Amino acid sequence: MLLMDIITWEPKDSAKVERLYKNYEYPKGMKVIDEWIDLTGYRMFVIYETEDEKTYTPSVVPFIGLCRFETIPVMRADKYMQTAQERAEKTGEKGVGTAQSKEESEDILEQIEGLEKRIERLEHHSFIQQEDTT
């Protein structure tokens, strides 16, 4: 499973975090894809692959109480789009990014035109009220 951690810490703890990180080694079974540091704040991003929580848990233990971890399951966008398209084809639903039917497009255009006319009337009404009060 591919995961992304957003790790944050308090500015006062920066030296402690730096010391810990310099000597830190990721546990076996955790494949780190990439790491980034936020240059504007006290935050780090790590994308990694792991098979289960047994690998993840020891990776955060040294930082507990010092850092906050937000762990998010992620997937490459192209892989997600392909998976979503395959799922849609199996279930008979519209796939990701497929065009709407002509009827649906026309219905949406009619709704937009109706909204534009309402806006024009409201603007006109607002203008008339402004002229009456001055």
Side-chain angles (χ1 to χ4, degrees):
M1 173 177 269
L2 199 58
L3 300 164
M4 178 177 75
D5 279 352
I6 302 173
I7 307 160
T8 56
W9 58 89
E10 294 296 321
K12 66 179 176 58
D13 295 327
S14 290
K16 290 179 193 173
V17 171
E18 184 180 345
R19 276 193 307 275
L20 257 172
Y21 183 72
K22 279 183 180 179
N23 299 313
Y24 180 75
E25 290 185 31
Y26 287 99
K28 285 187 177 192
M30 181 178 268
K31 178 185 172 194
V32 175
I33 313 276
D34 215 340
E35 302 170 302
W36 299 276
I37 292 285
D38 179 351
L39 299 177
T40 64
Y42 307 94
R43 189 165 55 169
M44 182 174 180
F45 304 88
V46 181
I47 294 194
Y48 57 94
E49 206 168 350
T50 184
E51 292 195 22
D52 57 29
E53 68 279 354
K54 292 177 184 173
T55 306
Y56 170 78
T57 304
S59 74
V60 298
V61 168
F63 298 94
I64 297 224
L66 186 61
C67 297
R68 183 175 155 256
F69 286 79
E70 183 178 356
T71 303
I72 305 160
V74 294
M75 181 183 283
R76 291 189 52 86
D78 57 344
K79 185 177 178 183
Y80 172 80
M81 296 301 282
Q82 180 183 358
T83 303
Q85 186 66 39
E86 289 169 0
R87 186 176 342 113
E89 288 170 4
K90 285 181 184 175
T91 61
E93 297 174 7
K94 288 188 177 181
V96 176
T98 56
Q100 299 169 332
S101 72
K102 187 176 179 179
E103 277 182 14
E104 290 172 321
S105 296
E106 288 173 358
D107 186 43
I108 289 172
L109 286 174
E110 284 178 24
Q111 290 177 19
I112 290 171
E113 287 172 9
L115 289 171
E116 287 173 343
K117 287 177 184 174
R118 286 184 195 166
I119 290 169
E120 285 175 18
R121 284 194 300 263
L122 288 170
E123 287 174 342
H124 180 72
H125 181 68
S126 174
F127 177 74
I128 289 171
Q129 284 185 342
Q130 287 176 358
E131 284 207 350
D132 289 347
T133 58
T134 56

